[in-house]
Amino acid sequence: KLPCCTISGTFKAGRKDKDIEDHSGYLALDIDRKECINQILLLEGGLEKVIELLKKESWAYAIFKSVGGRSPCCTVKIPATVESHAAAFEALEKYFLETYELILDSSCKNVGHLRFVSSDPNLYINRDAEVYQIGSASAVPKIGINSKNNKKTTIPASSSKIKNQKNFDLVSKIVEHAVKMKIILGDD
C-alpha cells in the first residue's frame, strides 16, 4: 500500500520499454540485495559511510535510504534515452562491484522499474550532478568500502547463482568474513 513511481520516465499503457512516452534522464539504483545489506551493516559507520562515499560521486543526483531504512538508493543522471538506460545500468553495475564491492538490484536495468517512495529526512540532493557518461566512472578507480584489503573483484554483478569458480570464490570470501567476524549464518 506504499506509494510508488517510475523514476526513469512516464508511460502510456504499461511499463514496458515500448510504452515509454518520455525518459526522465534519471536511473534509480537499489543496493538492497541481502548480502549487500549484511555487508553494509558490518562496516564501521555502516549505511552512513556508504551514503557518504556515494555523495562524492559527481553523477549522484539523489541518495536516500530505502523504505526499510537498511539500504541505500541512488538516483543517477543519465542521457535521457531508453537505449542509454540499459547501457548506463550495466556500466554502473560493474563500477559499483569494482569500486564498492556492492551488487546492484538487476531489476533497475528495466526502464519501467517501479520503486516504492521512501521517506528519508536526510535525503541528499545534488542539483549540480553531472550526467553520467557511460564508461567514465570505471576509468577512475576509487577506494571502496572494504579499503582494508582494497581488493577488486571481477565477478559479474548480474550473477545471482553460483555458476562458476569465480562466483564460488566470492561466496567463499563472504563465508570466511562471516566466520572471522563470528557471524552466525542461518539457513536463509
Side-chain angles (χ1 to χ4, degrees), residues 79-117:
T81 66
V82 173
E83 297 75 27
S84 64
H85 187 94
F89 175 81
E90 288 171 2
L92 285 160
E93 180 180 48
K94 180 180 179 194
Y95 178 72
F96 269 74
L97 184 64
E98 291 177 350
T99 305
Y100 300 113
E101 296 180 8
L102 292 173
I103 301 171
L104 298 177
D105 183 334
S106 60
S107 66
C108 298
K109 182 177 181 178
N110 180 341
V111 72
H113 176 64
L114 193 64
R115 73 164 298 107
F116 293 114
V117 177

Side-chain angles (χ1 to χ4, degrees), residues 15-31:
R15 291 186 293 116
K16 296 186 188 234
D17 289 3
K18 67 177 181 60
D19 297 323
I20 195 165
E21 289 183 322
D22 187 37
H23 195 288
S24 67
Y26 293 95
L27 169 63
L29 302 175
D30 294 328
I31 309 166

Side-chain angles (χ1 to χ4, degrees), residues 13 33 145:
R33 288 178 52 137
I145 60 174

Side-chain angles (χ1 to χ4, degrees), residues 30-43 47 50 70-72 93 97 100-106 145-146 153 155-162 167 170-175 177-178 183 185 188:
D30 294 328
I31 309 166
D32 58 0
R33 288 178 52 137
K34 189 173 188 176
E35 59 269 31
C36 288
I37 293 172
N38 290 340
Q39 180 182 356
I40 290 166
L41 293 175
L42 290 173
L43 288 174
L47 179 56
V50 175
R70 298 182 335 148
S71 63
E93 180 180 48
L97 184 64
Y100 300 113
E101 296 180 8
L102 292 173
I103 301 171
L104 298 177
D105 183 334
S106 60
I145 60 174
N146 291 325
T153 180
I155 298 168
S158 59
S159 298
S160 61
K161 296 179 182 173
I162 300 173
N167 287 351
L170 176 63
V171 171
S172 296
K173 180 180 170 185
I174 292 168
V175 171
H177 179 72
I183 297 169
L185 298 175
D188 56 350

